[in-house]
Amino acid sequence: MKVVLVTGVSGAGKTTAVHALEDLDFYCVDNLPMPLVQRFVELLSGRADVKRAALVTDARSGEFLAGASGVLSQLRHAGHDVEVLFLDAPDVVLLRRFSETRRRHPLSGTDIRAGLQEERRRLEELRQEATSVIDTGTLTVHMLRALVLEHYSESDGRLALSFLSFGFKHGLPVEADIVLDVRFLPNPFFVEALSALSGQDEDVRRFVLERDEAKIFLDRTKALLAVCLRGFIREGKSYATVAIGCTGGRHRSVAMVEELCRHFSREGGEVEGLGAVTVRHRDMSKS
């Protein structure tokens, strides 16, 4: 069976993620204690109508979280395809979400910060087991849902490639498999006629991409990614995220990501097994 263990801190979006998996025909169970996971998967694997399962476990399980690594190892040894999806967000974002929804943190009395610290401590073993980590701090529920659907949709065996632009001042994207930095290029932000535009505008695109150093970077990045993507496909990965960062995530990284997306959408035939190529601009609308 394909088994996705959904976990992470409270307020990071586990409910949204599991609803998306349910829409992909995963058999979903919430708040399952770790000692019951192996037996539960055995029961499901005997059913012809269930091929994929998503199990949510988190700090609510308390002492039942102990031994998570051993349980996951046993499932893999039994032949199941097991992934751990860990959802996280910065404390400041989680505090704001709890304030807005007026929900009580499961491990806090009156001190939510203390509850978050205790929760992270309890989840550390599962965090180390994570095969995918999504930082939802900058994501809407719709963006999170789209990411989960993209990652876990059944494919034709081809590698789904996603390009992501971001700004280093807003933090690294933890979902990235490869991160590249284009802050060495001149910044259009300091050009009065270009500052208010984005890397999707033709004037900014030419300013960024028509420089000799940008052309060299693109040529070598295309060659590097082709090697990496062939390796990902050989190892059986279903999706890969390539993140390109600049200072604010509005100009240089956007132009680079758009160009790389065009190249691999057009030239994907050079990488046998490459499927859909998509693009996302995480910080383009931020100041």
Side-chain angles (χ1 to χ4, degrees):
M1 283 187 61
K2 171 75 171 182
V3 180
V4 177
L5 184 69
V6 181
T7 188
V9 295
S10 302
K14 296 190 296 294
T15 299
T16 297
V18 80
H19 285 171
L21 290 170
E22 196 167 33
D23 289 342
L24 291 173
D25 292 326
F26 277 77
Y27 190 107
C28 298
V29 177
D30 188 19
N31 201 18
L32 189 68
M34 289 303 300
L36 298 180
V37 168
Q38 186 173 10
R39 177 58 179 153
F40 186 74
V41 171
E42 290 174 358
L43 289 172
L44 289 182
S45 62
R47 293 180 50 173
D49 60 330
V50 179
K51 300 298 183 185
R52 304 195 293 174
L55 312 176
V56 182
T57 190
D58 51 38
R60 292 172 294 171
S61 296
E63 63 184 22
F64 289 128
L65 280 175
S69 298
V71 172
L72 297 174
S73 178
Q74 290 170 0
L75 288 174
R76 293 181 177 116
H77 184 72
H80 300 293
D81 179 9
V82 180
E83 293 190 27
V84 178
L85 171 61
F86 194 99
L87 301 177
D88 204 350
D91 283 359
V92 65
V93 174
L94 298 173
L95 290 167
R96 186 186 71 242
R97 289 176 181 174
F98 276 104
S99 175
E100 291 173 350
T101 62
R102 299 185 180 181
R103 291 190 59 204
R104 179 181 178 276
H105 188 278
L107 298 184
S108 68
T110 58
D111 188 348
I112 297 179
R113 288 184 183 276
L116 287 171
Q117 291 176 2
E118 174 61 17
E119 184 174 38
R120 292 190 188 281
R121 186 190 66 78
R122 293 188 185 185
L123 293 172
E124 182 58 31
E125 184 177 1
L126 280 174
R127 180 66 174 77
Q128 295 299 319
E129 290 285 339
T131 51
S132 298
V133 177
I134 298 179
D135 183 345
T136 68
T138 61
L139 304 181
T140 65
V141 292
H142 306 293
M143 294 166 67
L144 174 57
R145 172 181 166 78
L147 274 178
V148 174
L149 292 175
E150 176 186 321
H151 287 183
Y152 293 103
S153 294
E154 286 188 316
S155 66
D156 55 3
R158 299 168 72 82
L159 176 72
L161 174 61
S162 178
F163 285 102
L164 170 68
S165 71
F166 73 97
F168 277 95
K169 75 176 185 179
H170 301 297
L172 286 167
V174 294
E175 68 267 34
D177 297 288
I178 297 171
V179 177
L180 298 173
D181 185 349
V182 293
R183 287 177 292 183
F184 67 93
L185 294 171
N187 192 348
F189 177 81
F190 297 108
V191 179
E192 185 176 357
L194 303 179
S195 181
L197 303 178
S198 78
Q200 291 180 319
D201 292 293
E202 183 60 25
D203 287 346
V204 175
R205 180 184 176 278
R206 287 199 302 268
F207 181 90
V208 173
L209 300 182
E210 291 184 358
R211 298 175 180 276
D212 288 343
E213 60 266 44
K215 293 177 182 178
I216 294 171
F217 176 86
L218 274 171
D219 286 344
R220 296 184 179 179
T221 296
K222 291 170 185 176
L224 169 68
L225 292 181
V227 172
C228 294
L229 295 175
R230 292 187 183 102
F232 289 160
I233 292 167
R234 185 177 62 250
E235 294 301 314
K237 280 179 69 70
S238 299
Y239 59 89
T241 299
V242 177
I244 310 290
C246 60
T247 303
R250 181 176 177 83
H251 298 104
R252 293 166 291 180
S253 61
V254 172
M256 280 290 178
V257 156
E258 291 282 350
E259 181 62 26
L260 288 168
C261 183
R262 275 191 288 270
H263 170 78
F264 282 95
S265 296
R266 183 177 63 248
E267 307 293 341
E270 295 182 2
V271 180
E272 185 177 354
L274 183 63
V277 181
T278 59
V279 65
R280 179 164 66 93
H281 302 299
R282 193 190 73 176
D283 302 324
M284 188 173 68
S285 62
K286 297 178 181 177
S287 59

